[in-house]
Amino acid sequence: MKISKVSFMWLVIMVGFAMHMLADILPAFWGASIAMPDATGEVSVGMIGFMICISFFMPMCGLLCMQYRSCKAMRVINLVLATVMMVFNIFHAAELITEFNPVQLLIHPVMVVAGIYLFFFSRREMNCQCCCNKQ
């Protein structure tokens, strides 16, 4: 069984988000406080929902779309999801300019490159007729 480049990039994105979170919590293992300086203990349900959507739900939908890529609608949905992911990764990495975090310095550029590859592979898949059942 051959995995498509698009599916592989969705997996890379998911692993990247997991590493992003892990890099943030690792200092806690050495006793450092990982709480944000102005943290109140209140968690925004909207932000948690957004992060679950971006880091898990969208990549899973992208993977599912690639399983049914013979349907043009699935390729279109995948391309839309890939575009949103690429734009999110670029804007999120741009936050390093205002709030520099050396721990994330290795992860953000990789996520940007993965998002760009995901978009271009998805666009190529959109135009590809080799995976489609012609009727």
Side-chain angles (χ1 to χ4, degrees):
M1 182 168 112
K2 182 181 173 189
I3 186 169
S4 74
K5 290 179 182 180
V6 177
S7 295
F8 179 74
M9 292 315 299
W10 277 121
L11 292 173
V12 168
I13 294 284
M14 289 179 80
V15 169
F17 279 123
M19 292 300 101
H20 184 292
M21 181 193 65
L22 184 61
D24 279 338
I25 65 171
L26 273 177
F29 291 102
W30 289 274
S33 174
I34 60 171
M36 296 167 53
D38 56 347
T40 63
E42 297 293 320
V43 180
S44 166
V45 175
M47 182 55 83
I48 290 174
F50 175 74
M51 290 310 298
I52 289 171
C53 182
I54 284 288
S55 64
F56 177 73
F57 186 69
M58 283 179 53
M60 286 305 295
C61 288
L63 283 169
L64 285 172
C65 285
M66 292 315 298
Q67 293 304 306
Y68 300 99
R69 67 181 173 262
S70 61
C71 173
K72 185 174 181 175
M74 292 296 119
R75 294 193 314 273
V76 170
I77 292 169
N78 176 70
L79 182 59
V80 169
L81 293 173
T83 304
V84 170
M85 189 60 67
M86 177 185 67
V87 170
F88 172 79
N89 285 335
I90 290 169
F91 281 135
H92 187 53
E95 292 176 358
L96 281 175
I97 296 168
T98 58
E99 297 176 26
F100 182 73
N101 182 345
V103 173
Q104 298 297 343
L105 188 58
L106 295 174
I107 295 171
H108 282 279
V110 172
M111 291 294 284
V112 168
V113 170
I116 291 170
Y117 272 112
L118 173 65
F119 171 76
F120 282 111
F121 290 154
S122 294
R123 198 172 79 185
R124 185 183 310 154
E125 187 79 31
M126 186 67 206
N127 298 328
C128 177
Q129 295 299 318
C130 60
C131 63
C132 305
N133 297 330
K134 296 180 182 177
Q135 298 174 353

